Amino acid sequence: MTTLQETIHPQAKAREWKAIVILILLIPVLWSPPFLFRIFLFQPFNIPSGSMTPTLVVGDYVFAAKYAYGYGRYSFPFAPSWISGRFRATDPEYGDVVVFRTPKDTAVDYVKRVVGLPGDRIQMRQGQLILNDRPVTRVALKQAFAGSTCGVDDGAKAKRWRETLPNGASYVTQDCVHNGYYDNTDVYTVPPGHFFVLGDNRDNSSDSRVMSSIGFVPMDNLVGKVTRIFWSLDQHGEPHMERLGKVW
């Protein structure tokens, strides 16, 4: 017993001193402006899929404001799993483009648009969003080339609509297929403490309509609000300068 203690004890002390030295060396990094900027203010993300076309496309790089909805478990890397709730919590508004984690896959960041808040009734009818039994206002726009965002021929065109939510939030959605798989749904009633999201590319987005994978999203799973496209590259890797700016 004595021999074992004498063997382990010096090793434990050595590990403690190493940890202290590492922490001391990390202090300048932890308090550096870039680190604080990313942890507490804005976090960069890149867009890997076309589910938010035309608002966000593959090749876009965006900033998400982490302070917009308060800070919770998913606001910081390597946060312990026992953390719950949000500090300085604020709920999203209709039309916000948000970054979040799903209860079924907390390792992946998703980007979608908020269209339903606690207590709301959401439904899709023939491709039109119904909010609390009222069709959301939408105006048909000129068709546009969809490229690969509809999963069909690159030369195919898609319908586009300008949709306006009750609070005035306005944005453009893409309709790839008439009466597609997600264009007609049951009524979803958003439970307390949750929100409902859709992708702007309505026929090619896995979102809250898919209860088996995303469904209703807990408020505590918010990471931040997407505010700005700060860089964008087209399919050939060339800068897409006209896309830089605020996300609506």
Side-chain angles (χ1 to χ4, degrees), residues 122-185:
I122 309 293
Q123 186 180 23
M124 297 295 295
R125 296 180 194 163
Q126 297 183 346
Q128 185 165 16
L129 174 62
I130 310 298
L131 177 59
N132 294 325
D133 306 318
R134 293 185 178 183
V136 168
T137 301
R138 66 174 185 170
V139 177
L141 303 176
K142 185 178 180 180
Q143 291 190 6
F145 287 105
S148 60
T149 61
C150 283
V152 292
D153 179 52
D154 285 355
K157 288 188 175 182
K159 293 180 180 179
R160 291 193 174 182
W161 304 84
R162 176 159 293 280
E163 195 169 84
T164 304
L165 293 172
N167 66 339
S170 184
Y171 47 88
V172 178
T173 66
Q174 179 168 287
D175 185 9
C176 293
V177 182
H178 178 66
N179 272 342
Y181 187 78
Y182 296 126
D183 282 349
N184 295 279
T185 70

Side-chain angles (χ1 to χ4, degrees), residues 7-202:
T7 303
I8 293 177
H9 193 61
Q11 292 179 350
K13 278 191 172 183
R15 286 196 298 268
E16 289 175 3
W17 276 107
K18 286 181 181 178
I20 292 171
V21 170
I22 290 171
L23 286 174
I24 292 172
L25 293 175
L26 281 176
I27 286 175
V29 176
L30 295 175
W31 286 99
S32 65
F35 186 85
L36 294 175
F37 181 89
R38 187 184 187 280
I39 292 297
F40 294 104
L41 298 178
F42 294 93
Q43 182 171 345
F45 293 92
N46 72 296
I47 305 302
S49 76
S51 68
M52 281 295 291
T53 302
T55 305
L56 300 173
V57 302
V58 176
D60 284 348
Y61 292 79
V62 301
F63 278 132
K66 303 182 77 171
Y67 57 84
Y69 308 121
Y71 300 92
R73 174 184 172 187
Y74 301 108
S75 300
F76 308 103
F78 313 115
S81 59
W82 49 263
I83 291 179
S84 63
R86 287 177 293 147
F87 173 69
R88 300 182 63 86
T90 300
D91 290 346
E93 298 181 356
Y94 292 125
D96 285 0
V97 178
V98 299
V99 179
F100 61 92
R101 306 279 181 91
T102 71
K104 296 180 177 65
D105 188 359
T106 58
V108 177
D109 295 301
Y110 290 83
V111 180
K112 306 289 179 184
R113 189 180 298 277
V114 175
V115 299
L117 298 173
D120 283 341
R121 295 181 303 280
I122 309 293
Q123 186 180 23
M124 297 295 295
R125 296 180 194 163
Q126 297 183 346
Q128 185 165 16
L129 174 62
I130 310 298
L131 177 59
N132 294 325
D133 306 318
R134 293 185 178 183
V136 168
T137 301
R138 66 174 185 170
V139 177
L141 303 176
K142 185 178 180 180
Q143 291 190 6
F145 287 105
S148 60
T149 61
C150 283
V152 292
D153 179 52
D154 285 355
K157 288 188 175 182
K159 293 180 180 179
R160 291 193 174 182
W161 304 84
R162 176 159 293 280
E163 195 169 84
T164 304
L165 293 172
N167 66 339
S170 184
Y171 47 88
V172 178
T173 66
Q174 179 168 287
D175 185 9
C176 293
V177 182
H178 178 66
N179 272 342
Y181 187 78
Y182 296 126
D183 282 349
N184 295 279
T185 70
D186 295 331
V187 177
Y188 305 101
T189 301
V190 185
H194 292 71
F195 57 93
F196 193 97
V197 294
L198 292 176
D200 289 348
N201 189 2
R202 294 289 167 79

Side-chain angles (χ1 to χ4, degrees), residues 210-231:
V210 187
M211 288 290 159
S212 60
S213 60
I214 294 184
F216 304 117
V217 183
M219 295 289 185
D220 287 353
N221 286 38
L222 283 164
V223 175
K225 176 182 178 180
V226 176
T227 58
R228 189 171 299 274
I229 300 171
F230 69 88
W231 188 244

